[in-house]
Amino acid sequence: MQSVTGRAPETLLSDAYRHFFSSGQTFSQLQNQVLQDRLFTKASEANGGVAGRSLAWKLFLTKPEPLQANLPPRSSTLLEHLRESRRNYEKLLTEKTKAPDDLGRVPERLTGTVRNLTVNDPLSLHNENPWHDWFNSLELKKTILQDVERTFPDIAFFREDEVQDELTNILLVYSLTHPSIGYRQGMHELLAPLYHAVYFDSIGEESQIDTDLRLLCSRKHVGADSWGLFDTVMQNVSVWYEWQQPDPKVIGRRSQASLSGHVHLIIPDGQNGIQPYVAPIVKACNKIQNELLKKCDPALWKSMENSGIEPQIYGIRWLRMLFTREFPMPDSMKLWDGLFACDPTLDLALWVCVAMLIRVRNDLIPADYNGQLTTLLRYPSPPQQRPPGSPTHTCILLQQALFLQMAPNPASSATIAMENRTAFNIPIEVPPPAPLRRRPQLPPPQASQSGFGQRKQDIEGSSRLGHSRQPSTPTIGIPEMLARGLLERGESLGINKTLYSAVAELKRNIPDIAANLMRSPNPNEVSFPLEDENPVPPWEPRSRLEVEGEVANLKKRDKRLGDALGWIVDTLLQDESSAEDVQRLQRKRREAIESLAYVRDVLISDDLNLDPERLIGEEEALKRKRKEQMRAEESKPPPVTTVAPPLPVSTIDSRTRHVTERAFARSPPRPTSGVQPSPSAELQQAPPWNYTRSSFSTPTGLPPGSLPRKPPPTSTGTSRMSGIVKSQDPLGAL
């Protein structure tokens, strides 16, 4: 484990300070020294670090004033910028790390303020309770600390508790001040080298060194200076850590279109103009391989494209970590010196990736997918031995990236290949691909003679020739012995012959089996459209019924599309200034634009099958569904109240008695038996028109078969008289 807990000697730090601010060199001259690897001498490297590196980074990352690039830098300007950055960090750290009740700092009785316990209480469920953010920040701090504890495990400096606490606070402040990005894994490896460089150059207050140098490298403000450098670097690197679409209220205020009177839709050329959100890191990786590398080295690009290498596999780690995983720490810091000096916006990092790919082109082009993936994820280290005074391989890589940026063409790539041959002894010619290793195949078994029968014939033949020992067999391995034993055993049992015949039969029946599988026996379970076996020729005129049906379907579809367009226009015409919930309105507008795109696709494709979920937004669909349910409930008939029927009124029917007596007089006498029929049975068997249940009537006791039928009406007078009688005697008393 490396030990880098030392600090830079004050003498070396004073030399670096005079070289930057007192030698009269301009910014441009310092940049050239970085590219030539002459900014720091060999003597500057001591105690596991480089004296003055943090001063160089503060100088390069601080934006110079206009027209100051060709003038020597001034320490007073840098010191003023650092003082402002330190004040901001202390303010944010105090604000983000104190509890909402601020217990233990200033008592409420001294400040005279009274907390609203309904809102400011740890147990309160109020939406504006500040304790919610406090608890979330504690969880975020635990997550950050887990990553910080694993930062560069081979360096003892980052195992110290004080260092880990300082790194955690810096990352916490940055994450809370940039909620759109938050904290993402990999940020701790960007902060760690910055913090180490500042800590290595720090000077105590008791030092007798130059005052400006002591203030620039104050040990008291190591955390604040590290946060300032990290915040400046993240201004250009944070886009590679974005994982979701930014809030339109944050980035789209200047481009916010007024939709009060007109609808402005920015749709690029083509039918698929509205495209989903793609993370910027994915765009950057695709640009590296599919644009920049394709221009500079078409052969390498074609090889990687044919192998199926996705640029995100290697590009995300290279860009987010700024190459700290691909090179050792000293080499990575050399590369950072050039990046911060030449291009603080870090756009040059994309060309550094291209130069890295060209350097290992001889390993990538002849390899397959696995070989290319191994080379990219385990980037090979160049030879450490180099002539004295020559720049390091990272400085050469930076020079090649600048050269490619100025001239992106195959000629530049060929020049870089020749330079790599000179500097690192990398041949220009691409080696041929390695031959593929194929497994040895066994000879096919012969069905006529198995191994067992063949050996038997060999033994018999040798005995006939007078030889007493078996013929020698070549030495074979254990897998071949097992395979041959299985074949011989199967031949002796007759399994091989049966298996061969079954395979041959299966091959003959494959077409019939496929035909049966393609046709489903149940037409309701068909998962794909079946074509008509007897299609109607296109020249045959269609019937009127078919034409009318098609027109009706088109009208029905157009009506639904018109309804959807009405909702889309109403949604897009809503004004944000009068909206209560701007986020909800923005979401509805996005849904409206998606529905508009779907309507466009339907009209272009002339499709009659519409997807109702894509015609309108989710909120509008729920609203219409509720309206339909309310309309269905209103159209239901009122419930019918069941009323008990009235009790029957007892009446006396004299006609029934009269008819019964006449039938009794006409019927012949019946033989009397010993069993008397019950009156209830006679009443149940009597015809309905000759009997009316009444409590006043008495059963006659006549058998049901002897009763005569009801005579039909003989004249209108009789019916009229009967009607008169019925009307005058409704109760049947007469």
Short mmCIF file of all heavy atoms in Angstrom, two decimals, residues 302-352:
data_model
loop_
_atom_site.label_atom_id
_atom_site.label_comp_id
_atom_site.label_asym_id
_atom_site.label_seq_id
_atom_site.Cartn_x
_atom_site.Cartn_y
_atom_site.Cartn_z
N LYS A 302 -14.57 -0.07 -38.40
CA LYS A 302 -15.28 -1.18 -39.03
C LYS A 302 -15.09 -2.46 -38.24
O LYS A 302 -16.02 -3.26 -38.08
CB LYS A 302 -14.80 -1.35 -40.47
CG LYS A 302 -15.57 -2.40 -41.25
CD LYS A 302 -15.09 -2.46 -42.69
CE LYS A 302 -15.88 -3.51 -43.48
NZ LYS A 302 -15.41 -3.60 -44.88
N SER A 303 -13.88 -2.70 -37.74
CA SER A 303 -13.63 -3.91 -36.96
C SER A 303 -14.45 -3.92 -35.67
O SER A 303 -15.07 -4.94 -35.32
CB SER A 303 -12.13 -4.00 -36.63
OG SER A 303 -11.88 -5.11 -35.79
N MET A 304 -14.49 -2.80 -34.97
CA MET A 304 -15.27 -2.74 -33.73
C MET A 304 -16.77 -2.80 -34.02
O MET A 304 -17.54 -3.37 -33.25
CB MET A 304 -14.93 -1.46 -32.97
CG MET A 304 -13.49 -1.37 -32.52
SD MET A 304 -13.07 0.18 -31.70
CE MET A 304 -14.05 0.04 -30.21
N GLU A 305 -17.18 -2.24 -35.14
CA GLU A 305 -18.60 -2.29 -35.50
C GLU A 305 -19.02 -3.70 -35.86
O GLU A 305 -20.11 -4.16 -35.49
CB GLU A 305 -18.86 -1.34 -36.67
CG GLU A 305 -20.33 -1.12 -36.98
CD GLU A 305 -21.02 -0.25 -35.95
OE1 GLU A 305 -20.33 0.39 -35.13
OE2 GLU A 305 -22.26 -0.22 -35.96
N ASN A 306 -18.18 -4.42 -36.58
CA ASN A 306 -18.52 -5.80 -36.94
C ASN A 306 -18.52 -6.72 -35.72
O ASN A 306 -19.30 -7.68 -35.67
CB ASN A 306 -17.52 -6.32 -37.98
CG ASN A 306 -17.64 -5.59 -39.30
OD1 ASN A 306 -18.67 -5.01 -39.62
ND2 ASN A 306 -16.58 -5.58 -40.08
N SER A 307 -17.69 -6.43 -34.75
CA SER A 307 -17.65 -7.25 -33.54
C SER A 307 -18.81 -6.96 -32.61
O SER A 307 -19.09 -7.75 -31.71
CB SER A 307 -16.33 -7.04 -32.80
OG SER A 307 -15.24 -7.42 -33.61
N GLY A 308 -19.48 -5.83 -32.79
CA GLY A 308 -20.62 -5.50 -31.93
C GLY A 308 -20.22 -4.81 -30.64
O GLY A 308 -20.95 -4.92 -29.64
N ILE A 309 -19.11 -4.10 -30.62
CA ILE A 309 -18.67 -3.39 -29.41
C ILE A 309 -19.49 -2.11 -29.27
O ILE A 309 -19.50 -1.26 -30.16
CB ILE A 309 -17.17 -3.07 -29.48
CG1 ILE A 309 -16.35 -4.36 -29.47
CG2 ILE A 309 -16.76 -2.17 -28.34
CD1 ILE A 309 -16.43 -5.13 -28.18
N GLU A 310 -20.19 -1.99 -28.14
CA GLU A 310 -20.93 -0.77 -27.85
C GLU A 310 -20.00 0.24 -27.19
O GLU A 310 -19.25 -0.10 -26.28
CB GLU A 310 -22.11 -1.07 -26.93
CG GLU A 310 -23.17 -1.96 -27.56
CD GLU A 310 -23.92 -1.27 -28.68
OE1 GLU A 310 -23.91 -0.01 -28.69
OE2 GLU A 310 -24.48 -1.96 -29.54
N PRO A 311 -20.03 1.50 -27.61
CA PRO A 311 -19.09 2.49 -27.03
C PRO A 311 -19.36 2.78 -25.57
O PRO A 311 -18.46 3.24 -24.86
CB PRO A 311 -19.31 3.73 -27.90
CG PRO A 311 -20.67 3.56 -28.49
CD PRO A 311 -20.87 2.08 -28.68
N GLN A 312 -20.58 2.52 -25.08
CA GLN A 312 -20.85 2.79 -23.66
C GLN A 312 -20.08 1.85 -22.75
O GLN A 312 -19.88 2.16 -21.56
CB GLN A 312 -22.35 2.64 -23.37
CG GLN A 312 -23.21 3.64 -24.10
CD GLN A 312 -23.66 3.16 -25.46
OE1 GLN A 312 -23.01 2.31 -26.03
NE2 GLN A 312 -24.75 3.70 -25.95
N ILE A 313 -19.64 0.70 -23.26
CA ILE A 313 -18.97 -0.27 -22.41
C ILE A 313 -17.68 0.31 -21.84
O ILE A 313 -17.36 0.12 -20.66
CB ILE A 313 -18.69 -1.56 -23.21
CG1 ILE A 313 -20.02 -2.20 -23.65
CG2 ILE A 313 -17.88 -2.54 -22.40
CD1 ILE A 313 -19.84 -3.42 -24.51
N TYR A 314 -16.94 1.02 -22.65
CA TYR A 314 -15.68 1.59 -22.19
C TYR A 314 -15.74 3.10 -22.03
O TYR A 314 -15.02 3.68 -21.20
CB TYR A 314 -14.56 1.24 -23.17
CG TYR A 314 -14.79 1.77 -24.58
CD1 TYR A 314 -14.34 3.02 -24.97
CD2 TYR A 314 -15.48 1.01 -25.53
CE1 TYR A 314 -14.55 3.50 -26.26
CE2 TYR A 314 -15.70 1.48 -26.81
CZ TYR A 314 -15.23 2.72 -27.17
OH TYR A 314 -15.46 3.20 -28.43
N GLY A 315 -16.59 3.77 -22.80
CA GLY A 315 -16.60 5.24 -22.78
C GLY A 315 -17.11 5.83 -21.48
O GLY A 315 -16.63 6.88 -21.04
N ILE A 316 -18.09 5.18 -20.84
CA ILE A 316 -18.65 5.75 -19.61
C ILE A 316 -17.59 5.80 -18.52
O ILE A 316 -17.44 6.80 -17.81
CB ILE A 316 -19.87 4.92 -19.16
CG1 ILE A 316 -21.05 5.12 -20.14
CG2 ILE A 316 -20.30 5.28 -17.76
CD1 ILE A 316 -22.28 4.33 -19.80
N ARG A 317 -16.83 4.72 -18.38
CA ARG A 317 -15.80 4.72 -17.34
C ARG A 317 -14.66 5.65 -17.68
O ARG A 317 -14.12 6.34 -16.80
CB ARG A 317 -15.28 3.29 -17.14
CG ARG A 317 -14.44 3.14 -15.90
CD ARG A 317 -14.05 1.70 -15.66
NE ARG A 317 -12.95 1.28 -16.52
CZ ARG A 317 -12.29 0.14 -16.35
NH1 ARG A 317 -12.62 -0.67 -15.37
NH2 ARG A 317 -11.31 -0.18 -17.16
N TRP A 318 -14.27 5.73 -18.94
CA TRP A 318 -13.16 6.60 -19.32
C TRP A 318 -13.50 8.06 -19.05
O TRP A 318 -12.68 8.82 -18.52
CB TRP A 318 -12.82 6.42 -20.79
CG TRP A 318 -12.17 5.09 -21.11
CD1 TRP A 318 -11.99 4.05 -20.25
CD2 TRP A 318 -11.61 4.69 -22.36
NE1 TRP A 318 -11.37 3.01 -20.89
CE2 TRP A 318 -11.12 3.37 -22.19
CE3 TRP A 318 -11.48 5.28 -23.60
CZ2 TRP A 318 -10.51 2.66 -23.22
CZ3 TRP A 318 -10.87 4.60 -24.64
CH2 TRP A 318 -10.39 3.29 -24.45
N LEU A 319 -14.71 8.48 -19.41
CA LEU A 319 -15.06 9.89 -19.30
C LEU A 319 -15.44 10.28 -17.88
O LEU A 319 -15.01 11.34 -17.39
CB LEU A 319 -16.21 10.21 -20.26
CG LEU A 319 -15.90 10.09 -21.75
CD1 LEU A 319 -17.14 10.36 -22.58
CD2 LEU A 319 -14.78 11.03 -22.15
N ARG A 320 -16.25 9.47 -17.21
CA ARG A 320 -16.69 9.86 -15.87
C ARG A 320 -15.54 9.89 -14.87
O ARG A 320 -15.52 10.75 -13.99
CB ARG A 320 -17.77 8.90 -15.38
CG ARG A 320 -19.14 9.15 -16.02
CD ARG A 320 -20.19 8.25 -15.40
NE ARG A 320 -21.52 8.57 -15.89
CZ ARG A 320 -22.64 7.94 -15.52
NH1 ARG A 320 -22.56 6.95 -14.64
NH2 ARG A 320 -23.80 8.31 -16.00
N MET A 321 -14.59 8.98 -14.99
CA MET A 321 -13.46 8.95 -14.07
C MET A 321 -12.27 9.77 -14.58
O MET A 321 -11.26 9.90 -13.87
CB MET A 321 -12.99 7.50 -13.84
CG MET A 321 -14.09 6.53 -13.53
SD MET A 321 -14.90 6.89 -11.98
CE MET A 321 -16.12 5.59 -11.96
N LEU A 322 -12.37 10.30 -15.77
CA LEU A 322 -11.27 11.06 -16.39
C LEU A 322 -9.98 10.23 -16.40
O LEU A 322 -8.91 10.71 -16.01
CB LEU A 322 -11.06 12.40 -15.68
CG LEU A 322 -12.01 13.53 -16.06
CD1 LEU A 322 -11.66 14.81 -15.34
CD2 LEU A 322 -12.04 13.75 -17.56
N PHE A 323 -10.13 8.96 -16.79
CA PHE A 323 -9.01 8.06 -17.08
C PHE A 323 -8.20 7.66 -15.83
O PHE A 323 -7.07 7.19 -15.96
CB PHE A 323 -8.06 8.69 -18.12
CG PHE A 323 -8.76 9.32 -19.28
CD1 PHE A 323 -8.89 10.69 -19.37
CD2 PHE A 323 -9.34 8.54 -20.26
CE1 PHE A 323 -9.56 11.28 -20.43
CE2 PHE A 323 -10.01 9.12 -21.33
CZ PHE A 323 -10.12 10.49 -21.41
N THR A 324 -8.76 7.83 -14.63
CA THR A 324 -8.04 7.42 -13.43
C THR A 324 -8.03 5.91 -13.26
O THR A 324 -7.20 5.38 -12.50
CB THR A 324 -8.68 8.06 -12.19
OG1 THR A 324 -10.08 7.73 -12.14
CG2 THR A 324 -8.51 9.56 -12.23
N ARG A 325 -8.94 5.18 -13.92
CA ARG A 325 -8.96 3.72 -13.84
C ARG A 325 -8.05 3.08 -14.88
O ARG A 325 -7.69 1.91 -14.75
CB ARG A 325 -10.39 3.21 -14.05
CG ARG A 325 -11.36 3.57 -12.94
CD ARG A 325 -11.21 2.65 -11.76
NE ARG A 325 -12.23 2.89 -10.75
CZ ARG A 325 -13.40 2.28 -10.72
NH1 ARG A 325 -13.70 1.38 -11.65
NH2 ARG A 325 -14.27 2.54 -9.76
N GLU A 326 -7.68 3.78 -15.93
CA GLU A 326 -6.89 3.22 -17.02
C GLU A 326 -5.38 3.39 -16.82
O GLU A 326 -4.60 2.63 -17.39
CB GLU A 326 -7.29 3.86 -18.35
CG GLU A 326 -8.53 3.28 -18.98
CD GLU A 326 -9.75 3.29 -18.07
OE1 GLU A 326 -10.09 4.37 -17.54
OE2 GLU A 326 -10.37 2.22 -17.88
N PHE A 327 -4.98 4.40 -16.05
CA PHE A 327 -3.57 4.68 -15.86
C PHE A 327 -3.27 4.77 -14.36
O PHE A 327 -4.17 5.06 -13.56
CB PHE A 327 -3.16 5.99 -16.55
CG PHE A 327 -3.52 6.04 -18.00
CD1 PHE A 327 -4.46 6.95 -18.47
CD2 PHE A 327 -2.93 5.19 -18.92
CE1 PHE A 327 -4.80 7.00 -19.80
CE2 PHE A 327 -3.26 5.23 -20.26
CZ PHE A 327 -4.20 6.14 -20.70
N PRO A 328 -2.03 4.56 -13.96
CA PRO A 328 -1.67 4.77 -12.55
C PRO A 328 -1.88 6.22 -12.13
O PRO A 328 -2.02 7.13 -12.97
CB PRO A 328 -0.19 4.36 -12.50
CG PRO A 328 0.02 3.50 -13.70
CD PRO A 328 -0.92 4.00 -14.75
N MET A 329 -1.90 6.45 -10.83
CA MET A 329 -2.19 7.79 -10.32
C MET A 329 -1.22 8.85 -10.83
O MET A 329 -1.66 9.92 -11.30
CB MET A 329 -2.20 7.76 -8.79
CG MET A 329 -2.46 9.11 -8.14
SD MET A 329 -4.12 9.75 -8.47
CE MET A 329 -5.08 8.66 -7.44
N PRO A 330 0.11 8.65 -10.82
CA PRO A 330 1.00 9.71 -11.34
C PRO A 330 0.74 10.02 -12.81
O PRO A 330 0.75 11.20 -13.22
CB PRO A 330 2.40 9.14 -11.12
CG PRO A 330 2.24 8.15 -10.01
CD PRO A 330 0.89 7.55 -10.22
N ASP A 331 0.50 8.99 -13.63
CA ASP A 331 0.24 9.24 -15.05
C ASP A 331 -1.10 9.94 -15.25
O ASP A 331 -1.24 10.81 -16.13
CB ASP A 331 0.27 7.92 -15.81
CG ASP A 331 1.64 7.27 -15.77
OD1 ASP A 331 2.62 7.99 -15.50
OD2 ASP A 331 1.73 6.05 -16.01
N SER A 332 -2.10 9.58 -14.47
CA SER A 332 -3.40 10.24 -14.58
C SER A 332 -3.30 11.72 -14.23
O SER A 332 -3.92 12.57 -14.87
CB SER A 332 -4.42 9.56 -13.68
OG SER A 332 -4.57 8.20 -14.02
N MET A 333 -2.49 12.04 -13.20
CA MET A 333 -2.34 13.44 -12.82
C MET A 333 -1.60 14.23 -13.90
O MET A 333 -1.88 15.42 -14.12
CB MET A 333 -1.59 13.53 -11.50
CG MET A 333 -2.33 12.89 -10.33
SD MET A 333 -3.99 13.55 -10.04
CE MET A 333 -5.03 12.35 -10.89
N LYS A 334 -0.65 13.58 -14.59
CA LYS A 334 -0.01 14.25 -15.73
C LYS A 334 -1.03 14.57 -16.82
O LYS A 334 -0.99 15.64 -17.44
CB LYS A 334 1.08 13.33 -16.29
CG LYS A 334 2.32 13.19 -15.41
CD LYS A 334 3.28 14.33 -15.61
CE LYS A 334 4.58 14.07 -14.85
NZ LYS A 334 5.54 15.18 -15.02
N LEU A 335 -1.93 13.62 -17.06
CA LEU A 335 -2.96 13.85 -18.07
C LEU A 335 -3.91 14.95 -17.63
O LEU A 335 -4.35 15.77 -18.45
CB LEU A 335 -3.73 12.54 -18.31
CG LEU A 335 -4.78 12.56 -19.42
CD1 LEU A 335 -4.15 12.91 -20.76
CD2 LEU A 335 -5.48 11.21 -19.51
N TRP A 336 -4.21 15.01 -16.35
CA TRP A 336 -5.07 16.09 -15.85
C TRP A 336 -4.39 17.45 -15.98
O TRP A 336 -5.08 18.45 -16.25
CB TRP A 336 -5.42 15.82 -14.38
CG TRP A 336 -6.49 14.78 -14.20
CD1 TRP A 336 -6.83 13.80 -15.08
CD2 TRP A 336 -7.34 14.61 -13.07
NE1 TRP A 336 -7.84 13.02 -14.56
CE2 TRP A 336 -8.17 13.50 -13.32
CE3 TRP A 336 -7.48 15.26 -11.86
CZ2 TRP A 336 -9.13 13.04 -12.42
CZ3 TRP A 336 -8.43 14.83 -10.95
CH2 TRP A 336 -9.25 13.74 -11.22
N ASP A 337 -3.10 17.50 -15.79
CA ASP A 337 -2.39 18.78 -15.98
C ASP A 337 -2.64 19.33 -17.38
O ASP A 337 -2.93 20.52 -17.55
CB ASP A 337 -0.89 18.58 -15.76
CG ASP A 337 -0.56 18.22 -14.32
OD1 ASP A 337 -1.39 18.49 -13.44
OD2 ASP A 337 0.53 17.65 -14.09
N GLY A 338 -2.52 18.46 -18.39
CA GLY A 338 -2.73 18.93 -19.76
C GLY A 338 -4.18 19.26 -20.06
O GLY A 338 -4.47 20.24 -20.77
N LEU A 339 -5.11 18.46 -19.53
CA LEU A 339 -6.52 18.75 -19.78
C LEU A 339 -6.94 20.07 -19.17
O LEU A 339 -7.63 20.88 -19.80
CB LEU A 339 -7.39 17.61 -19.22
CG LEU A 339 -7.39 16.29 -19.99
CD1 LEU A 339 -8.20 15.25 -19.23
CD2 LEU A 339 -7.96 16.48 -21.39
N PHE A 340 -6.53 20.33 -17.92
CA PHE A 340 -6.91 21.58 -17.27
C PHE A 340 -6.22 22.78 -17.91
O PHE A 340 -6.79 23.88 -17.95
CB PHE A 340 -6.56 21.52 -15.79
CG PHE A 340 -7.32 20.47 -15.03
CD1 PHE A 340 -6.86 19.99 -13.81
CD2 PHE A 340 -8.50 19.95 -15.53
CE1 PHE A 340 -7.55 19.03 -13.10
CE2 PHE A 340 -9.21 18.97 -14.85
CZ PHE A 340 -8.73 18.51 -13.63
N ALA A 341 -5.01 22.59 -18.42
CA ALA A 341 -4.28 23.71 -19.00
C ALA A 341 -4.76 24.04 -20.41
O ALA A 341 -4.89 25.22 -20.76
CB ALA A 341 -2.78 23.41 -19.01
N CYS A 342 -5.00 23.02 -21.22
CA CYS A 342 -5.35 23.24 -22.63
C CYS A 342 -6.84 23.49 -22.84
O CYS A 342 -7.21 24.31 -23.69
CB CYS A 342 -4.90 22.05 -23.48
SG CYS A 342 -3.12 21.76 -23.43
N ASP A 343 -7.68 22.77 -22.12
CA ASP A 343 -9.12 22.87 -22.37
C ASP A 343 -9.87 22.63 -21.07
O ASP A 343 -10.23 21.49 -20.76
CB ASP A 343 -9.55 21.86 -23.44
CG ASP A 343 -11.00 22.04 -23.85
OD1 ASP A 343 -11.60 23.05 -23.47
OD2 ASP A 343 -11.53 21.16 -24.55
N PRO A 344 -10.11 23.67 -20.27
CA PRO A 344 -10.87 23.46 -19.02
C PRO A 344 -12.29 22.96 -19.25
O PRO A 344 -12.90 22.40 -18.33
CB PRO A 344 -10.87 24.85 -18.37
CG PRO A 344 -9.71 25.57 -18.98
CD PRO A 344 -9.62 25.05 -20.38
N THR A 345 -12.83 23.15 -20.47
CA THR A 345 -14.18 22.63 -20.76
C THR A 345 -14.19 21.12 -20.94
O THR A 345 -15.26 20.51 -21.00
CB THR A 345 -14.74 23.29 -22.02
OG1 THR A 345 -13.89 22.99 -23.13
CG2 THR A 345 -14.82 24.79 -21.84
N LEU A 346 -12.99 20.50 -21.07
CA LEU A 346 -12.83 19.05 -21.17
C LEU A 346 -13.46 18.47 -22.43
O LEU A 346 -13.76 17.27 -22.48
CB LEU A 346 -13.42 18.35 -19.92
CG LEU A 346 -12.77 18.77 -18.59
CD1 LEU A 346 -13.43 18.02 -17.45
CD2 LEU A 346 -11.28 18.51 -18.61
N ASP A 347 -13.66 19.28 -23.45
CA ASP A 347 -14.08 18.72 -24.74
C ASP A 347 -12.95 17.90 -25.37
O ASP A 347 -13.21 17.02 -26.21
CB ASP A 347 -14.50 19.84 -25.69
CG ASP A 347 -15.77 20.53 -25.24
OD1 ASP A 347 -16.53 19.91 -24.46
OD2 ASP A 347 -16.00 21.69 -25.63
N LEU A 348 -11.73 18.19 -24.97
CA LEU A 348 -10.59 17.46 -25.50
C LEU A 348 -10.58 16.01 -25.02
O LEU A 348 -9.90 15.16 -25.62
CB LEU A 348 -9.29 18.16 -25.09
CG LEU A 348 -7.99 17.63 -25.67
CD1 LEU A 348 -7.98 17.75 -27.19
CD2 LEU A 348 -6.80 18.38 -25.06
N ALA A 349 -11.33 15.70 -23.96
CA ALA A 349 -11.34 14.33 -23.43
C ALA A 349 -11.89 13.34 -24.46
O ALA A 349 -11.47 12.17 -24.48
CB ALA A 349 -12.16 14.26 -22.15
N LEU A 350 -12.80 13.78 -25.33
CA LEU A 350 -13.32 12.88 -26.36
C LEU A 350 -12.22 12.49 -27.34
O LEU A 350 -12.14 11.32 -27.77
CB LEU A 350 -14.48 13.56 -27.10
CG LEU A 350 -15.66 14.05 -26.24
CD1 LEU A 350 -16.73 14.67 -27.13
CD2 LEU A 350 -16.25 12.92 -25.42
N TRP A 351 -11.36 13.42 -27.69
CA TRP A 351 -10.27 13.11 -28.62
C TRP A 351 -9.19 12.30 -27.93
O TRP A 351 -8.46 11.55 -28.59
CB TRP A 351 -9.70 14.41 -29.18
CG TRP A 351 -10.65 15.11 -30.09
CD1 TRP A 351 -11.44 16.18 -29.80
CD2 TRP A 351 -10.95 14.76 -31.44
NE1 TRP A 351 -12.20 16.53 -30.88
CE2 TRP A 351 -11.92 15.67 -31.91
CE3 TRP A 351 -10.49 13.77 -32.31
CZ2 TRP A 351 -12.44 15.61 -33.19
CZ3 TRP A 351 -11.01 13.71 -33.59
CH2 TRP A 351 -11.97 14.62 -34.03
N VAL A 352 -9.04 12.44 -26.62
CA VAL A 352 -8.12 11.57 -25.90
C VAL A 352 -8.57 10.12 -25.99
O VAL A 352 -7.75 9.20 -26.16
CB VAL A 352 -8.01 12.02 -24.43
CG1 VAL A 352 -7.20 11.02 -23.60
CG2 VAL A 352 -7.36 13.40 -24.33
#
